[in-house]
Amino acid sequence: MQKYKISLRHITKSFPGVKALSDINFDVRKGTVHVIMGENGAGKSTMMKIINGVYHPDSGEIFIDGEQVSIKSPMQATEHGIAMIYQELHFVPEFTIEQYLFMGKEPQKIKGIVDWKKLHGDAVRILKEEGVDYDPRTKIKDITVSDLQILEIIKATTSGADIIIMDEPTSSISNQEVDRLFTKIHELKEKGITILYISHKLDEIFRIADDITIIRDGAVIETRPAREYDNDTIITKMVGRPLDNVYPEIHTSPGKEYFRVEGLSGDGFDNVSFHVKKGEIIGFAGLVGAGRTEVMRAVVGLDPIREGKLFKDGKEIQNKTVQGAKSNGIVMVSEDRRRYGIIGVRSIRENIILPNLKRASRAGILDHKKEKQITADYFKKLNIKAPGDSTLLQNLSGGNQQKVVLAKWLLTEPDVLILDEPTRGIDVGAKYEIYCLIREMLEEGTTIIMVSSELPELIGMCDRIYVMAEGRVTGEVSKQEMTQEVIMKLATGGQKDE
């Protein structure tokens, strides 16, 4: 066997009702960035969790530097120089940076007594060596997601890891923060550290990838040097078919003005006004912190409104609570599905029916037969990939979790649907399915507001785009004017060229 940094041989893994991995053979060269791509549910994360000891394979072997190893826990993975940075970062908000860096391996004066002076000094030294300008006594809750990712990398390297697994590390950070992360990845590569990198973002992988492995339906399709791929080839290999258009054609004729916001002010935004027509889709663009999500949270009653008015179909409405907004036909799919969109330890069916209990009840008592009938249509319509609707939501891929979130709010039959980052962290095939679903809703007369950090997505899907910067709307862009350059100019506080 050629000596690779890490190799998998004939790895298989099954969960109840699902074969997640089938005879996986996989090799990674030392000191390279190896990108793993595939649709949601293809098996990427399962494969990485086996390498990190979170899951145990049903059969197969793992080799590191040509030697067979047994990895039965993340602790054993650490002993073999493996660290994993998860898509959903876990942390203690009240910990300081220095506490976070040494969590579980604090220096001790005597057994059981932490040497805080040494811990602080070591933290200062490590942060300086890594070239990051942090006050080690800053609390984790006061730093950005990008900062936290860099700290995770520092934790991994200072603990001796020479294989670092990154699962969708750019799903929740800005373009500027992506540049910073990629600079760090290049530094790690120069030190001989091997990176396994899961991503769905075709526009970013070619900036860092040395090799690319494509997985589909739990099997490795192929591995090739990154230079031998282009976007179309990767998409075809991932989904098993060519996608002729990334965005479906939308043939709608928006009607009269249907929903209007006038002079809305609240926490993080000021004097925001916009309108949307019946059957129209408008977008909201802006950099991280521009205030887009804050506006939408206020519109649906999650956060208080300091000033301003809301009008639906010409009549002023009050959305002081989420229930009030729902009664007015306005609902929102949150950008953070794990915190605000799903209950992972409950089933698909329970998650879908939760906002719709009245529809599945008789005399105030939940009718389980009716519950199954109601959710079955959406399970099929959204092509949710799972053994059945009783599957726990936490066992689904990110794309299928997002479909469940959409299903539960579509079941309410909203007049105005707000989608905040609806395709974040999901693959190109699942994105296309969601775009087609959005098209169907528009054709049925639903009015849609889409917040997205992906400018091609907004340009490809929206009739008009409002751009925000520092809590204010800086401009409105028509379909004819839409370019990334125009939108970015407004997002950075500039003005459109007249």
Side-chain angles (χ1 to χ4, degrees):
M1 179 188 296
Q2 182 180 346
K3 193 173 180 181
Y4 291 97
K5 184 61 187 177
I6 187 164
S7 298
L8 305 186
R9 288 291 175 266
H10 308 295
I11 295 288
T12 62
K13 178 64 179 176
S14 295
F15 298 102
V18 179
K19 190 160 190 177
L21 298 176
S22 176
D23 196 33
I24 291 287
N25 291 288
F26 177 70
D27 297 303
V28 180
R29 296 184 293 128
K30 180 178 179 176
T32 61
V33 178
H34 196 116
V35 172
I36 300 96
M37 301 200 72
E39 290 190 275
N40 288 104
K44 306 180 301 297
S45 293
T46 299
M47 190 166 79
M48 295 303 106
K49 287 177 180 177
I50 284 176
I51 294 172
N52 195 44
V54 176
Y55 295 150
H56 305 153
D58 300 331
S59 61
E61 301 167 322
I62 302 174
F63 297 83
I64 296 178
D65 292 324
E67 299 291 328
Q68 186 175 348
V69 297
S70 175
I71 304 174
K72 296 182 178 179
S73 70
M75 186 173 292
Q76 284 191 348
T78 301
E79 293 170 1
H80 288 293
I82 300 169
M84 184 165 179
I85 300 172
Y86 294 91
Q87 179 179 359
E88 307 292 339
L89 296 170
H90 301 287
F91 57 92
V92 182
E94 292 297 329
F95 266 28
T96 61
I97 288 174
E98 61 188 21
Q99 287 175 305
Y100 181 73
L101 284 175
F102 290 95
M103 186 166 54
K105 54 183 191 304
E106 297 87 351
Q108 299 181 1
K109 290 181 180 179
I110 58 175
K111 189 173 182 180
I113 305 297
V114 175
D115 188 340
W116 293 107
K117 185 176 180 180
K118 178 172 172 47
L119 183 145
H120 178 72
D122 287 350
V124 170
R125 174 182 55 79
I126 289 169
L127 293 173
K128 185 176 180 180
E129 288 174 354
E130 294 292 333
V132 288
D133 185 22
Y134 299 135
D135 179 346
R137 292 194 172 104
T138 301
K139 289 190 174 182
I140 295 296
K141 67 180 181 181
D142 296 324
I143 66 175
T144 66
V145 173
S146 174
D147 290 330
L148 192 55
Q149 286 176 333
I150 298 298
L151 288 178
E152 283 278 356
I153 292 171
I154 293 172
K155 276 179 64 180
T157 54
T158 55
S159 66
D162 59 1
I163 299 170
I164 299 179
I165 303 168
M166 299 184 181
D167 190 356
E168 293 284 352
T170 63
S171 62
S172 302
I173 61 178
S174 68
N175 290 335
Q176 292 88 343
E177 291 170 324
V178 169
D179 292 339
R180 179 188 182 201
L181 176 64
F182 284 2
T183 298
K184 192 66 183 175
I185 288 173
H186 284 298
E187 290 174 5
L188 295 174
K189 192 171 111 173
E190 288 174 3
K191 293 177 181 177
I193 292 173
T194 303
I195 309 290
L196 296 174
Y197 188 100
I198 296 176
S199 178
H200 292 126
K201 295 187 176 181
L202 293 171
D203 59 335
E204 71 181 26
I205 62 170
F206 292 107
R207 294 172 55 188
I208 56 170
D210 294 300
D211 299 308
I212 297 174
T213 291
I214 296 173
I215 299 179
R216 187 172 72 239
D217 298 330
V220 171
I221 301 303
E222 65 179 24
T223 297
R224 284 199 257 159
R227 64 179 179 275
E228 296 182 11
Y229 282 106
D230 58 30
N231 285 3
D232 290 341
T233 304
I234 289 176
I235 291 171
T236 300
K237 296 286 185 181
M238 280 173 56
V239 303
R241 65 190 188 282
L243 289 180
D244 297 326
N245 295 300
V246 177
Y247 305 100
E249 290 187 20
I250 298 175
H251 301 290
T252 60
S253 299
K256 65 177 184 177
E257 179 181 298
Y258 190 64
F259 181 63
R260 171 177 288 274
V261 170
E262 285 187 1
L264 206 67
S265 297
D267 188 15
F269 59 95
D270 186 58
N271 195 29
V272 170
S273 298
F274 65 90
H275 72 278
V276 56
K277 298 175 182 177
K278 184 75 172 175
E280 183 182 33
I281 177 170
I282 64 167
F284 269 78
L287 302 177
V288 173
R292 298 164 300 164
T293 294
E294 288 79 0
V295 169
M296 300 308 154
R297 285 176 60 88
V299 166
V300 296
L302 278 166
D303 294 332
I305 295 171
R306 188 169 61 246
E307 287 183 73
K309 296 180 179 180
L310 308 177
F311 298 87
K312 180 189 168 192
D313 205 16
K315 298 178 181 178
E316 186 173 355
I317 59 172
Q318 301 285 331
N319 288 351
K320 293 184 178 180
T321 65
V322 173
Q323 188 59 43
K326 182 185 167 189
S327 298
N328 285 323
I330 303 171
V331 300
M332 173 178 169
V333 175
S334 170
E335 66 173 330
D336 191 341
R337 62 176 172 264
R338 284 188 180 269
R339 290 176 66 188
Y340 304 117
I342 67 170
I343 304 174
V345 295
R346 309 303 295 185
S347 70
I348 295 171
R349 183 175 66 253
E350 289 171 310
N351 272 270
I352 290 176
I353 210 67
L354 188 61
N356 304 281
L357 289 172
K358 288 184 178 179
R359 294 183 60 172
S361 301
R362 298 178 188 275
I365 299 173
L366 190 62
D367 184 329
H368 293 292
K369 185 177 179 181
K370 192 173 182 182
E371 178 188 14
K372 285 185 71 69
Q373 289 174 341
I374 290 172
T375 58
D377 288 343
Y378 282 89
F379 195 87
K380 184 178 179 180
K381 182 178 181 181
L382 274 69
N383 191 27
I384 297 169
K385 295 176 182 176
D389 62 8
S390 61
T391 303
L392 295 185
L393 204 58
Q394 65 187 13
N395 293 334
L396 300 189
S397 65
N400 285 299
Q401 288 181 1
Q402 188 72 347
K403 290 179 184 179
V404 172
V405 175
L406 283 168
K408 77 174 185 178
W409 290 118
L410 292 180
L411 191 52
T412 69
E413 299 178 342
D415 300 318
V416 179
L417 177 63
I418 300 173
L419 302 171
D420 193 357
E421 303 287 1
T423 64
R424 171 175 286 169
I426 64 176
D427 65 81
V428 65
K431 280 185 178 183
Y432 187 78
E433 290 180 338
I434 288 175
Y435 295 150
C436 289
L437 182 63
I438 291 172
R439 177 185 62 186
E440 290 177 23
M441 289 186 285
L442 289 167
E443 290 172 349
E444 292 168 1
T446 306
T447 296
I448 296 177
I449 300 170
M450 178 189 284
V451 177
S452 178
S453 298
E454 296 189 27
L455 296 186
E457 178 172 81
L458 291 177
I459 293 170
M461 293 295 295
C462 296
D463 296 304
R464 293 179 294 117
I465 297 173
Y466 288 92
V467 186
M468 292 187 66
E470 298 180 351
R472 292 177 176 271
V473 172
T474 54
E476 178 187 340
V477 183
S478 68
K479 194 71 174 178
Q480 294 73 28
E481 299 173 304
M482 285 182 196
T483 66
Q484 294 195 45
E485 291 75 18
V486 167
I487 295 169
M488 283 304 299
K489 191 171 184 179
L490 291 168
T492 53
Q495 296 182 342
K496 287 189 298 182
D497 294 326
E498 298 298 334

